[in-house]
Amino acid sequence: MDQPDKGSIQSGAGQSNNQGKTQKLSPMMIRLRATMAAAKYHGVDLDIRDFAAEPGENSPSPATLARWLNSQGLIAKGMRLKWRYLIRLYNSPPIVLMFKDGSAGLMVGVNPEKRIVFLRDPLKGEGEPPIPVEEIRLRQAWTGDILLVKRNKNLSESEDKIDFKWLFKMVLRERASLRDISISSMIISILQIFPAFIVMQVVNRVVAFQSMATLISISGLLIVLSFYEILISYARREITNVMATRLDARISIHTYNRLLSLPLEFFERQQAGRLIGKVSQIYQVRDFITGRLMTTFLDMFTLIVILPFLFYISVILAWLTVVAAGLIGLIVVIFIKPLTYYYSNRIEAEMTRGSAMYETVAGIRTVKTLALEPSRRRDWDNIVAEVCKWRLSTTRMQNWPETLVMPLDFFINRGIILIGAFICITNPTAGVDAGAIVAFMMLGGRVAAPLVGLAKLMTVITEVETSLVQAGEILNNPTETKALTTGLRPKIIGALSFENINFTYPGGSSRALKDLSFSIPAGTMLGLVGRSGSGKSTITRLLQGVSRNYEGFLRLDGVDLREINLTHLRRSFGVVLQDNFLFRGTIRDNITAGRPGLTMEKVIWAARMAGAEEFIERMPAGYDTFIEEGSTNISGGQRQRLAIARAVILDPKLMILDEATSALDPESEALVNANLERIAKGRTMVIVSHRLSSLVNCDQILVMDQGEMQAIGTHEQLLETCEIYRTLWLQQNRHVDERRHSKKNEAQKPVITEGT
């Protein structure tokens, strides 16, 4: 933010000094820098690459910035304030003020006596003295919007255990909606009392005394009350629907974010179909919150308001209603335990069915090519039979309490009127007349329904608890949230150092890496070779931060890898695996998956570096060719080259190629290998390959065997000093050596001339 002139604050023309050069930043970038400065005050270094702009926003709104900060472990909220409230923010941490040109400034102090605020340029350091600004000058630039930021001292919501307490907190976040629903429910409950008393008056007064004037008056009152009840009921349903939608969205987003934050090691140990089935149980919880729980919550207001009036009309009939409803609740409670048993087994069977379906769809190519349809059908029939067995058992068990409560339900709705009539005939002084009986019937059903619903809710809670346990088995596992949002963000150059690294996979009995120690400078092309299971891929997993529970020290540019922010680390890497996944979408979308905003020139450059340009240009739609699910419309080699382009386009300082050329034909492999030297320029390369011929030009080749380093050196050095490497080389190049040996023997044969 420049020094303000006499009349206004000019923030959009922000400048950043870099080694004597002046670079003008856009207002949007200044606003992001201001937000980053506010976060840094609370000890959180933000990476601008984490920010996702909303479509159609020229400059990020306070709500968009708040979502970004909240995802990084801070607590942020966008607000609109008037000047008189702004100058009351004493001793506040830096507050981001939004300016009309799309930029922003940092308010770092207030002087209410002089009625000025102190602003600091977000592009300059904290040592820069703040600028005093009075109300008139600030109004010319300030939109009235601010962004409040503070550090989350409590356990982050992303780490909360998913249980009933978590559910309760989710619901309580809608306090305003709950308040409005409660008020409207109370009003509706009161309005529902009047029709019953009006009907009682109609029976006792109008009909008995043939009073037309009273009937007209009562009719008018009834119409007015009905109109207000309809209006308020509509408003309550609207508020309830909005709140239910918000809860649904919050639970869905929270669940998906929690799933994404789980470490890769966890997914590798899980069956995909069962994992999806268990996570999907959270939607049973969502339906419970937005459905049955909300309905019972609303009905309870009716119970609270109407029950006293039932006792006012007739104490005997009111107690009979309450006792009958209580017996219904008792029956439901008795059946909770057996219902839990059957319901748990039904969920397990349904998850097995979902897992089998997912496995068949995922492996449909294998099923078709090997003609496995008959065996898959047999397995499916058995699984479906198991689901049907438990579903039928569960519904039969549910049928018993429903059948047993029916007589009590009939008594509440039908028997009460008979008892009331009996009291009216046998004891006229009891105060129960015909109008009272009709009014009691109208209100009695409204009281019984909440009591019965509350009892039945206990059964639903049991089902929800089972669903929560199933979802919690997945979502309550330790996440990478802290590693993804905290830690150092050093400038990555690419120097690697392994010092006495020991690593064992979870559940493993032997070490995958044993006292591994080596180091390479930045810009080195390192090859990793060895027999299967020697630890090559394990090294790349440690580098990517997939596994962090190793012993020893793994340093990147002198910084312990476990101290580096995990998101920053992985964005500094380009990774190409043996089996790469492409998303549904165009070729361009897949290449730019890590950086959606990159230009077409950058896409073409990455495709050319990966040797993919030639086959992309032959496609009908070129870079806009749509890739189907499972990449069925492109070959394995083409998929591999697109994955290499996706890694190269990020311009990483360190690249990992784990059998990246294994699916390529010889011509494509030769093309990619020819480009590797260009790809490797200015960056560190770690290349895992069984084909030693592709590693000949590496600066260093590390030979692994059973988790131990056997040797490290150049191709020529290893041929002379490492027996394992020499053996692998001879196995793969025997035909070449035999051909050379044959030519050598031919050359050494004596020439037989005529007359010899």
Side-chain angles (χ1 to χ4, degrees), residues 327-339 397 401 404 459:
L327 290 175
I328 292 175
L330 180 63
I331 292 172
V332 173
V333 170
I334 292 173
F335 280 89
I336 284 179
K337 190 172 182 179
L339 276 172
M397 182 57 65
L404 292 175
T459 305

Side-chain angles (χ1 to χ4, degrees), residues 293-329:
L293 180 64
M294 187 60 60
T295 303
T296 305
F297 173 74
L298 298 178
D299 287 344
M300 290 306 297
F301 285 99
T302 304
L303 176 65
I304 294 171
V305 174
I306 295 180
L307 192 60
F309 286 94
L310 289 184
F311 279 93
Y312 170 76
I313 295 173
S314 173
V315 175
I316 297 175
L317 297 181
W319 274 117
L320 288 173
T321 302
V322 172
V323 170
L327 290 175
I328 292 175

Side-chain angles (χ1 to χ4, degrees), residues 513-727:
L513 294 178
K514 305 172 186 176
D515 298 320
L516 179 62
S517 297
F518 72 92
S519 61
I520 58 172
T524 301
M525 186 184 294
L526 174 68
L528 296 179
V529 299
R531 301 181 179 93
S532 296
S534 60
K536 305 184 299 298
S537 295
T538 303
I539 293 175
T540 65
R541 289 170 62 88
L542 298 189
L543 285 174
Q544 298 170 66
V546 174
S547 302
R548 290 193 150 195
N549 56 334
Y550 54 83
E551 299 174 3
F553 297 95
L554 172 52
R555 292 187 172 91
L556 176 59
D557 300 321
V559 181
D560 193 314
L561 210 68
R562 286 171 289 202
E563 299 296 327
I564 299 176
N565 177 276
L566 201 53
T567 301
H568 176 71
L569 175 71
R570 290 173 179 170
R571 282 187 175 154
S572 302
F573 280 57
V575 181
V576 184
L577 305 175
Q578 183 175 0
D579 185 20
N580 293 280
F581 182 84
L582 298 181
F583 297 94
R584 291 184 78 248
T586 65
I587 288 177
R588 178 179 180 176
D589 292 340
N590 273 277
I591 294 178
T592 61
R595 294 279 189 87
L598 291 178
T599 62
M600 192 63 195
E601 289 76 14
K602 193 71 174 178
V603 174
I604 295 173
W605 172 83
R608 185 179 298 121
M609 293 291 286
E613 185 182 27
E614 51 89 15
F615 81 80
I616 295 175
E617 291 181 344
R618 291 200 307 267
M619 291 185 168
Y623 288 89
D624 292 325
T625 301
F626 197 86
I627 298 176
E628 300 294 342
E629 184 175 358
S631 309
T632 54
N633 57 332
I634 62 175
S635 68
Q638 291 172 339
R639 181 173 70 244
Q640 203 75 349
R641 279 182 278 176
L642 290 178
I644 295 173
R646 182 171 59 188
V648 170
I649 200 171
L650 298 176
D651 194 22
K653 292 300 180 182
L654 197 152
M655 282 194 66
I656 297 174
L657 279 69
D658 192 350
E659 297 291 349
T661 59
S662 61
L664 300 180
D665 56 80
E667 182 181 355
S668 299
E669 182 182 12
L671 182 62
V672 172
N673 287 334
N675 287 329
L676 274 182
E677 291 188 11
R678 285 196 297 166
I679 294 174
K681 188 175 181 180
R683 57 173 58 91
T684 302
M685 302 279 290
V686 178
I687 306 172
V688 179
S689 180
H690 284 97
R691 300 178 185 176
L692 303 189
S693 58
S694 63
L695 304 177
V696 171
N697 295 326
C698 287
D699 301 315
Q700 296 284 307
I701 300 176
L702 176 65
V703 183
M704 298 291 297
D705 187 54
Q706 297 182 358
E708 297 180 339
M709 184 181 74
Q710 299 300 315
I712 185 171
T714 63
H715 170 69
E716 290 77 12
Q717 292 171 344
L718 294 176
L719 282 178
E720 295 178 3
T721 60
C722 182
E723 180 65 29
I724 295 176
Y725 185 83
R726 184 165 54 249
T727 302

